[in-house]
Amino acid sequence: MGQSEDTQPRFARSVVNMDDLLNMEDYLVSKLEGYTEKLFQKAKTIRWGIEQMREQLEQRKMEPSSDLFNRYSFIRHMQADWLMWKRYLDKPVIRDELNYRKVENLKMPQGLDLFDASEAIRRMQATYGMLSNDIAKGFLDGVQYNSTLAPIDCLAMGRHLMNQSRWTISEQWILAGIKAHDRKGPQTEMMLLRGPTKAELFRTLGKVRFEMRNTEGAVKAYEDALKQSPHDQEIFQEYQHLKKVLTLSLSEPIREEPNDDNEEMELPHCCSGRCERPQKLKRLYCVYNCITAPFLRLAPIKTEILSVDPFVILLHDMVSPTEGALIRSSSKNQILPSETVNAANEFEVAKFRTSKSVWFDSDANEATLKLTQRLGEATGLDMKHSEPFQVINYGIGGVFESHFDTSLADEDRFVNGYIDRLATTLFYLNDVPQGGATHFPGLNITVFPKFGTVLMWYNLHTEGLLHVRTMHTGCPVIVGSKWVVSKWIDDKGQEFRRPCLRSHLDSKYLSSIEKIIV
């Protein structure tokens, strides 16, 4: 059903686990605070012991050495007390085994989580055409935010891209890290403790430029690194080796950067919504739907027609704040990394769908019951022949690359009674401050999430075959989180609601929502 049983949290794929990370950080900080308090008490005890021993030492110097008790006490002190001090100094400050085990068993972010987050930023940057230095300064796709990335964050991005042989963009991130290091303002103790130093940034820049066969730039970067840290032996040795290599002909070919042509198709640049729409789509209109169910005569649904062929619409005010909050809260403890079906017809957690999800039956709670009834009234389709709700949350740069929602090839569509997805409905459970649109590359339609709206489209032509222009993309989230609920409506069971037609012009004879076309 597209829900992973993987026990790894995959923190970057949803905002849900961010609360867990914050609580974990709070716990670890409190443990570290307790650790420092015990260190302070231990240091206080040692200082008290030093004072006591100095007083006793002065007394022994003044007392006659022939005194039996004095000699015995001194020997005992030198043999036993210093052994006690040795054991006291060797004893760990924290010996609470239960707390130790609790810290050890915490599900901390792993290398895979950092990979997810770094790859999400890379793909978001490529989709919206943002510069590395702009992202580091908090300038995201034309909007300035009061947040920045530290030099260590930029270096981590640079190294992630180096591992993929993406030298050009890696160089951008290292240079952004150097600029971040030069920003005005005092460096915190943590930044001084963890680094990176400016020398390390220039050193990494030299490695990247060497891989790009930019020999002059590589030498310059290493010289800048040595200016920052003239006594660093490793940097000096690498610099000497680089100059020696440059005197020889570089026979090793450059490692070519990946070809991202396919990725540009899977993550179109029009995700920004700034592309020109076809003229025929500008002549469409909005209507009040009061004809697909008797109740709608009293409470018509605001319906916005985005495309006639394929049929794509927006239904407004379909979710109440209470319903949205109930669905989100109900899913938080059950949500897991989303899966997709691969070429071998197996479920897998793939990099082209970075989200978490959970499935709810139509009667799972009061909210799903109401949404099911409302959707049936709005579309005129039979909700008894539909899949369960899939609640989905996208995290850092959350994305779903261009894809179709159907699973059958056209030649298999009308044999053996197979069921496929006639229509897709997508409930938006929150506003997304920036990014996260649903984009149709074949139509050049970009729909940005707005709380309470439902995006609905037919995946199949009126004669029942796949409509290739229903390919769509879940664009990367730039700022905020994206909560959506998908419900797919089966083709089998809708034969009398939405039968196959010779043309979409015959839609006025249907009982489903296409009849609103005038």
Side-chain angles (χ1 to χ4, degrees), residues 304-360:
E304 184 177 349
I305 302 175
L306 303 181
S307 170
V308 173
D309 187 23
F311 188 71
V312 184
I313 59 172
L314 266 178
L315 305 170
H316 291 271
D317 302 327
M318 289 283 287
V319 186
S320 72
T322 303
E323 292 163 351
L326 176 58
I327 292 175
R328 289 195 302 270
S329 62
S330 300
S331 63
K332 284 187 175 180
N333 293 330
Q334 306 177 56
I335 205 162
L336 293 170
S338 302
E339 291 186 332
T340 53
V341 178
N342 60 22
N345 205 30
E346 299 172 337
F347 286 110
E348 66 175 359
V349 178
K351 74 172 187 177
F352 56 81
R353 187 187 187 190
T354 55
S355 64
K356 290 185 178 181
S357 57
V358 61
W359 294 84
F360 285 146

Side-chain angles (χ1 to χ4, degrees), residues 66 124 184 449 480:
S66 58
M124 177 189 72
K184 293 182 180 180

Side-chain angles (χ1 to χ4, degrees), residues 122 125 131-133 157-158 161-162 164-176 205 207-209 211-214 254-258 260:
R122 179 192 73 78
Q125 180 179 5
L131 299 176
S132 304
N133 191 50
M157 274 299 301
L161 295 161
M162 288 171 67
Q164 299 181 348
S165 300
R166 299 181 186 274
W167 312 116
T168 304
I169 190 68
S170 176
E171 181 185 32
Q172 273 193 37
W173 275 104
I174 303 303
L175 289 171
L205 180 63
K207 293 178 180 179
V208 171
R209 287 178 171 172
E211 294 289 349
M212 298 172 70
R213 298 298 183 260
N214 179 1
I254 186 172
R255 285 185 282 170
E256 293 187 3
E257 300 192 32
D260 289 336

Side-chain angles (χ1 to χ4, degrees), residues 499 501 505-511 515:
L501 301 176
L505 297 177
D506 295 329
S507 60
K508 59 185 178 181
Y509 302 113
L510 298 177
S511 59
K515 66 167 66 177

